[in-house]
Amino acid sequence: MESASQDINLNSPNKGLLADAMTDVPVDNAARGAAPEGLTLAEEEELRAELAKVEEEIGTLRQVLAAKERHCGELKRKLGLTPLDGLKQNLSKSWHDVQVSNAYVKTSEKLGEWNDKVTQSDLYLSASSTLEDWNEKLTQSEAYKKTQETLSQAGQKTSAALSNVGSVISRKLGDMRNSATFKSFEDRVGTIKTSIRANGLSDM
């Protein structure tokens, strides 16, 4: 685990703290009791020493991982990466992993085979042919042609009516503008404008 300690000392902002934090795991000889069945006292001592060593290594690895996660967080913060960016990246990677997984590939192959079998089956071909026949008969039927013709005529009549309404409104506006009442109103507005300008200039 010496390399892990050096790794922390090189990359972690808490370098030098790992050695101070590590302590030996105490083993209580009195609480140990008799050796488990099938083990000699020497074998038990050896296993307990190995267990203490593994637990110490686990603790060291946890500290290494925590330091690496802190360092990773600092790098992401400096790069302006948000947790949402990380989530998107993780989802994208997970989806890619799913797509290249054996289960996904096999399922895709099976679905492709089923699709081929269905589209080439007599039932599917017969149903497709029947639907095409129905569509052809429908579009060539008198009722369909009459409905289509009626809708077309209705659209043309609506367009013509709207066009006539626009023409009538334009003509009425023109007539109103040429009327004596409207011209009298325009004259009065012109007189008021002239009066306002004259008063404004005389005040200056």
Side-chain angles (χ1 to χ4, degrees):
M1 295 311 300
E2 186 178 347
S3 61
S5 301
Q6 289 174 350
D7 197 18
I8 282 186
N9 290 338
L10 292 174
N11 297 319
S12 172
N14 301 321
K15 58 185 175 184
L17 297 179
L18 181 62
D20 297 337
M22 296 304 298
T23 56
D24 292 334
V25 179
V27 178
D28 187 358
N29 292 332
R32 216 182 268 172
E37 190 175 341
L39 289 179
T40 64
L41 201 55
E43 288 173 336
E44 182 191 359
E45 286 291 337
E46 184 180 340
L47 289 174
R48 288 188 183 278
E50 186 176 350
L51 175 62
K53 182 180 176 185
V54 169
E55 287 178 343
E56 182 180 342
E57 289 173 352
I58 289 171
T60 303
L61 288 172
R62 281 182 179 148
Q63 290 187 7
V64 170
L65 179 61
K68 291 290 184 186
E69 285 177 343
R70 280 194 301 273
H71 187 58
C72 179
E74 290 171 9
L75 293 174
K76 285 181 177 179
R77 183 180 50 77
K78 288 177 182 176
L79 288 170
L81 299 175
T82 64
L84 183 59
D85 294 325
L87 179 62
K88 287 179 183 175
Q89 188 177 359
N90 289 341
L91 288 173
S92 177
K93 184 180 182 306
S94 299
W95 176 239
H96 177 264
D97 292 344
V98 167
Q99 286 180 312
V100 298
S101 67
N102 287 336
Y104 182 87
V105 171
K106 286 180 180 177
T107 303
S108 298
E109 289 174 357
K110 280 289 179 191
L111 288 173
E113 290 173 9
W114 289 345
N115 182 58
D116 291 341
K117 287 178 181 177
V118 167
T119 54
Q120 291 173 9
S121 68
D122 291 338
L123 180 63
Y124 179 86
L125 294 173
S126 175
S128 297
S129 177
T130 303
L131 287 172
E132 286 175 6
D133 290 344
W134 286 350
N135 181 57
E136 189 174 349
K137 287 176 182 176
L138 176 65
T139 54
Q140 291 178 359
S141 68
E142 288 300 320
Y144 179 86
K145 288 178 181 177
K146 284 182 180 177
T147 303
Q148 198 173 29
E149 188 178 339
T150 303
L151 289 173
S152 177
Q153 288 174 357
Q156 290 173 0
K157 287 179 180 177
T158 303
S159 298
L162 290 173
S163 177
N164 289 338
V165 168
S167 299
V168 169
I169 290 173
S170 297
R171 191 168 61 250
K172 288 289 183 186
L173 287 173
D175 293 343
M176 186 176 77
R177 187 173 176 81
N178 293 327
S179 69
T181 306
F182 189 82
K183 286 186 176 181
S184 173
F185 177 73
E186 275 188 324
D187 291 341
R188 287 181 186 170
V189 170
T191 304
I192 292 170
K193 282 184 181 178
T194 306
S195 174
I196 290 171
R197 285 181 188 157
N199 288 336
L201 290 174
S202 62
D203 290 342
M204 293 173 65

